[in-house]
């Protein structure tokens, strides 16, 4: 199954990246996967209704 995705590029100071690396390491994630997890967590906490699949696709 193919899921349509978009890419985002984020620039940040090295100090913030280093802090994210430490936090990601605690959860055994890479920085990109940790950032994805943070975004999904935020979406979940704000009760946004997001559908990953179009009608008819499963």
């Amino acid at each position: 199954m193919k899921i349509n995705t978009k890419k985002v590029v984020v620039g940040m100071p090295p100090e913030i990246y280093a802090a994210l690396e430490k936090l990601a390491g605690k959860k055994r994630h890479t920085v990109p996967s940790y950032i994805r997890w943070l975004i999904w967590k935020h979406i979940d906490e704000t009760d946004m209704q997001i559908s990953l699949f179009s009608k008819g696709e499963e």
Side-chain angles (χ1 to χ4, degrees):
M1 172 186 353
K2 183 179 178 184
I3 297 176
N4 187 18
T5 61
K6 301 288 184 188
K7 292 185 180 188
V8 176
V9 176
V10 178
M12 64 187 75
E15 297 81 12
I16 293 175
Y17 188 86
L20 283 172
E21 260 184 329
K22 287 181 185 177
L23 291 170
K26 289 180 183 178
K27 292 189 172 278
R28 296 185 178 171
H29 287 276
T30 61
V31 173
S33 69
Y34 186 71
I35 291 171
R36 281 190 298 271
W37 177 80
L38 286 172
I39 292 168
W40 280 108
K41 183 177 180 206
H42 178 72
I43 288 170
D44 187 46
E45 289 173 355
T46 57
D47 295 325
M48 290 177 69
Q49 299 297 318
I50 304 266
S51 176
L52 291 179
F53 305 103
S54 301
K55 279 189 171 181
E57 290 184 333
E58 290 187 25

